Amino acid sequence: MSFKDMCQLVREDYAAHGREWTRPGFRTLFWHRFGNWRMTVRSKLLRGPLSMIYRWGYRHCRNVYGIEIPYTATIGRGVIVEHQGGIVVHGASIIGDGSIIRQNCTLGLRSLQRLDEAPIIGRNVNIGAGAVIMGRVTIGDGAAIGANAVVMTDVPPGALAVGVPAVVKVR
């Protein structure tokens, strides 16, 4: 990712967050984008200080806002982190363009024996507050995950998943 590409993504994140730079979701995505960009800097001499700055920003978002999105996660364009607090995204997760994540959501592993099997979230997925999506499950484009749902199976495009464990309902 070039510096110009990072700036474009940050502009899109800024617009997606209502052009409010103080929103914790925007700030967290900024540090995520910065963390990805700094890995493209070839010179270790330059990347070292950038990594220190990234780690400060990442930890600030994690410890102050309660939003943990490591740079290794793949985050699409226009993703909205709607609220703060208790948001954990595994580093192997993929979140599609235009998706919305609310407070107290976890996108994580199902087993410590499978450390790279994190959720794949499609485009324009709406994830309700408190939802937990575990393991290598795929959430289809345009799906909705209800508040406090625990999703452990794939959800087809446009469907609704609600409950514990989540039941998939075709809309």
Side-chain angles (χ1 to χ4, degrees):
M1 170 191 318
S2 69
F3 184 78
K4 185 178 177 183
D5 293 340
M6 180 192 74
C7 291
Q8 179 60 35
L9 289 171
V10 169
R11 277 193 292 273
E12 291 174 17
D13 292 338
Y14 178 66
H17 285 82
R19 301 193 183 286
E20 178 59 60
W21 67 272
T22 62
R23 291 181 68 180
F26 168 71
R27 289 180 173 196
T28 301
L29 290 177
F30 170 82
W31 287 112
H32 171 80
R33 309 291 189 202
F34 182 84
N36 274 292
W37 168 75
R38 57 116 190 169
M39 293 304 290
T40 64
V41 175
R42 291 183 182 216
S43 167
K44 288 185 179 181
L45 192 63
L46 292 175
R47 193 170 57 222
L50 295 172
S51 292
M52 290 174 54
I53 294 168
Y54 163 73
R55 281 193 284 275
W56 176 85
Y58 170 78
R59 289 175 182 152
H60 178 79
C61 291
R62 181 190 65 194
N63 298 341
V64 175
Y65 304 137
I67 305 172
E68 187 174 337
I69 303 177
Y71 77 92
T72 55
T74 302
I75 308 294
R77 294 174 175 272
V79 169
I80 298 172
V81 179
E82 189 70 48
H83 301 288
Q84 64 192 54
I87 298 173
V88 179
V89 175
H90 187 272
S93 298
I94 299 171
I95 302 174
D97 298 346
S99 293
I100 300 172
I101 301 172
R102 293 187 173 76
Q103 69 275 17
N104 296 317
C105 286
T106 299
L107 279 60
L109 303 174
R110 187 179 309 174
S111 167
L112 290 176
Q113 282 72 45
R114 292 181 243 156
L115 295 177
D116 60 346
E117 293 187 3
I120 299 171
I121 310 299
R123 294 172 179 233
N124 301 313
V125 172
N126 193 341
I127 303 174
V132 176
I133 304 171
M134 299 171 59
R136 179 58 89 184
V137 297
T138 300
I139 310 299
D141 295 347
I145 309 299
N148 297 315
V150 176
V151 179
M152 298 176 71
T153 60
D154 291 345
V155 177
L160 170 68
V162 293
V164 180
V167 174
V168 177
K169 300 179 178 186
V170 178
R171 296 190 288 174

